[in-house]
Amino acid sequence: MSLVTDSPVHSSSSSGDFAAFLDATLDSKSSDSSPDEEAISDVHSDSSDKEAKDDCNLIRKRPRVENLESIEETQGSTSNGFVEQQLGETQWSTSHGFVEQHLEASWKKDICKHPGSFGEMCIVCGQRLDSESGVTLRYIHKELRLGNDEIVRLRTTDMKNLLRHKKLYLVLDLDHTLLNSTLLLHLTAEEEYLKEQTDSLQEGSLFKLNSMHMMTKLRPFVHTFLKEASAMFEMYIYTMGDRSYALEMAKLLDPRREYFDSRVISRDDGTEKHQKGLDVVLGQDSTVLILDDTENAWTKHKDNLILMERYHFFASSCHQFGFNCKSLSELKSDENESDGALSSVLKVLRQIHNLFFDELGDTVDDRDVRQVLKTVRKEVLKNCKLVFSRVFPTTMFQAEKHQLWKMAEQLGASCSTELDQTVTHVVSTDAGTEKSRWAVKEKKFLVHPRWIEAANYLWQRQPEENFAVNQQKNQ
């Protein structure tokens, strides 16, 4: 099978089918046939394709074939002996038709662009390759490497297929985004009750994984989220956990393999240490959205990222990020399904999907989901003008670099270092500052910085009274 023309990578559920294809290829390698024989056989199997027919027509016009025909005509019955001499010790038929096919295979091997390799061999012509170029797609198969041109071609083909079905790509982080895990030995005394409350695989959300000495809690609303998101997106898992952990978590989230199939990427499958990248995702950057709780993991793809509020169910998770408070599990509580993080972000995904496909005209080929994401984000704090007070140094040069300042502007707010009547909000942690007192006097909103963070995670302007500075100070 030639990857260029026949590979199941073309399908929108490509990596699963392609993994099966590669496994079958591996099995075939254990036969007695040589790599060259298999390459010739592969070329023959493609002969019904238009591309192969065109190549065959070209070969028939090549001088080598014409010369061979003239030799056969002049030598008559001795032509078979000549052919056998030319083919050496091969056991193939010496008919004229085979000679053309053999030359066709040889010529194809000569002009093969080597779109990818399996181990050290080209996946099309079987030639052993010395140099390594392109990207290794270990999550599809540990020995599969595709060249950059082939990846571009596959992305273009798959993108057109998905866009016809009104789908985009969605890359999902695991830890603190879809679930929270902890080692059993890290459970606190107040969490011991959890060991008796684990659920069944099909319906549950709390799992004790004895083989991994750990416990995992799925985030509320995750089953509904995955089901509804799958209608709009081709979904990938991408985690900084190792491969065995990634596959185990995928099994909990998707026991029937309805959503991810083999599109499960772990840190072992990435191309850069401590970084995630879309180079191993078979989707064009302009059609990919990312959900992750860690912005720094996506330094090259921040424009694709929707930052998630971290899910801290276990105490070890709170301690990992420096929170000195009781965890949800210790409080015997959890996020609310109806207005929690996943429910909120699903509404955003629907909005982006709708805007991308239904509100931007007739053609979608030249659209960019990153621009749609930016447009939707800028609506969150539109018409708000903010001044910060003792949140960070407010000289203009330093202020513009601060994360909160940049976050507010991304959400559509304008930021200033000076007070005037156009200011709508003063953001502070101290109700006693001069700017804070001005806000109260002028009946402007005085809010804690968490008001901006909440708007960023929930993608809508939050009630200011829930983030009053005096209330935050007393907590």
Side-chain angles (χ1 to χ4, degrees), residues 198-222:
T198 54
D199 298 310
S200 65
L201 182 61
Q202 297 297 327
E203 302 295 336
S205 64
L206 181 65
F207 303 94
K208 183 181 176 185
L209 307 172
N210 290 320
S211 62
M212 303 183 76
H213 308 290
M214 63 183 299
M215 183 169 281
T216 294
K217 173 68 172 62
L218 304 187
R219 198 166 199 165
F221 197 72
V222 70

Side-chain angles (χ1 to χ4, degrees), residues 120-368:
E120 297 179 352
M121 292 175 58
C122 174
I123 55 181
V124 173
C125 70
Q127 182 176 332
R128 187 172 296 278
L129 306 178
D130 295 328
S131 60
E132 289 191 355
S133 61
V135 177
T136 300
L137 302 177
R138 294 182 184 88
Y139 67 97
I140 298 177
H141 199 287
K142 62 182 179 181
E143 294 191 77
L144 175 66
R145 174 180 286 268
L146 294 183
N148 294 326
D149 290 344
E150 181 65 5
I151 288 177
V152 169
R153 190 187 68 78
L154 289 174
R155 284 175 174 166
T156 301
T157 302
D158 211 33
M159 182 194 72
K160 290 179 179 178
N161 181 46
L162 281 184
L163 293 183
R164 279 197 301 269
H165 293 86
K166 287 195 170 185
K167 279 194 170 187
L168 297 168
Y169 299 89
L170 182 63
V171 177
L172 298 165
D173 174 53
L174 287 179
D175 295 282
H176 306 109
T177 298
L178 299 182
L179 51 82
N180 192 202
S181 296
T182 187
L183 293 174
L184 294 174
L185 59 85
H186 290 162
L187 290 173
T188 66
E190 293 175 272
E191 293 177 316
E192 284 293 318
Y193 76 96
L194 295 172
K195 294 180 179 179
E196 309 302 323
Q197 297 190 4
T198 54
D199 298 310
S200 65
L201 182 61
Q202 297 297 327
E203 302 295 336
S205 64
L206 181 65
F207 303 94
K208 183 181 176 185
L209 307 172
N210 290 320
S211 62
M212 303 183 76
H213 308 290
M214 63 183 299
M215 183 169 281
T216 294
K217 173 68 172 62
L218 304 187
R219 198 166 199 165
F221 197 72
V222 70
H223 292 301
T224 303
F225 173 85
L226 292 176
K227 180 179 180 179
E228 298 194 17
S230 67
M232 301 181 286
F233 299 92
E234 185 94 327
M235 297 190 295
Y236 284 75
I237 284 173
Y238 199 147
T239 176
M240 293 304 281
D242 63 28
R243 182 140 192 85
S244 60
Y245 174 76
L247 293 175
E248 217 38 59
M249 296 302 102
K251 197 182 300 181
L252 299 182
L253 291 164
D254 186 17
R256 300 181 183 91
R257 293 173 67 94
E258 299 172 283
Y259 308 130
F260 304 109
D261 195 25
S262 60
R263 295 183 299 275
V264 179
I265 304 172
S266 69
R267 71 180 178 211
D268 308 319
D269 308 314
T271 57
E272 291 187 49
K273 196 172 184 179
H274 306 308
Q275 279 290 302
K276 297 179 180 181
L278 295 181
D279 54 344
V280 293
V281 174
L282 290 178
Q284 288 193 3
D285 293 7
S286 61
T287 59
V288 180
L289 291 174
I290 302 164
L291 294 188
D292 203 316
D293 68 288
T294 306
E295 184 178 21
N296 291 336
W298 296 96
T299 54
K300 295 180 181 178
H301 304 285
K302 289 185 178 181
D303 290 340
N304 301 80
L305 177 65
I306 297 176
L307 193 63
M308 293 290 293
E309 183 179 12
R310 288 193 174 107
Y311 181 49
H312 298 294
F313 183 77
F314 295 108
S316 62
S317 180
C318 294
H319 300 157
Q320 176 186 349
F321 290 91
F323 295 121
N324 187 21
C325 61
K326 287 188 178 295
S327 66
L328 290 169
S329 59
E330 290 174 321
L331 296 170
K332 297 186 177 181
S333 180
D334 210 342
E335 284 186 357
N336 191 307
E337 283 212 7
S338 61
D339 60 2
L342 288 178
S343 177
S344 298
V345 81
L346 181 61
K347 296 173 186 175
V348 176
L349 293 176
R350 285 200 197 102
Q351 186 179 358
I352 294 171
H353 183 273
N354 180 63
L355 188 59
F356 187 95
F357 284 105
D358 299 333
E359 298 183 18
L360 293 178
D362 295 331
T363 61
V364 296
D365 293 346
D366 56 350
R367 296 182 194 170
D368 193 324

Side-chain angles (χ1 to χ4, degrees), residues 9-33:
V9 172
H10 292 310
S11 69
S12 61
S13 58
S14 55
S15 26
D17 293 339
F18 194 40
F21 156 67
L22 288 171
D23 289 337
T25 302
L26 270 181
D27 292 338
S28 70
K29 298 301 180 186
S30 62
S31 68
D32 294 334
S33 59

Side-chain angles (χ1 to χ4, degrees), residues 1-2 6 40-49:
M1 178 183 288
S2 167
D6 293 332
I40 292 172
S41 176
D42 285 347
V43 172
H44 291 171
S45 71
D46 291 339
S47 61
S48 62
D49 293 341

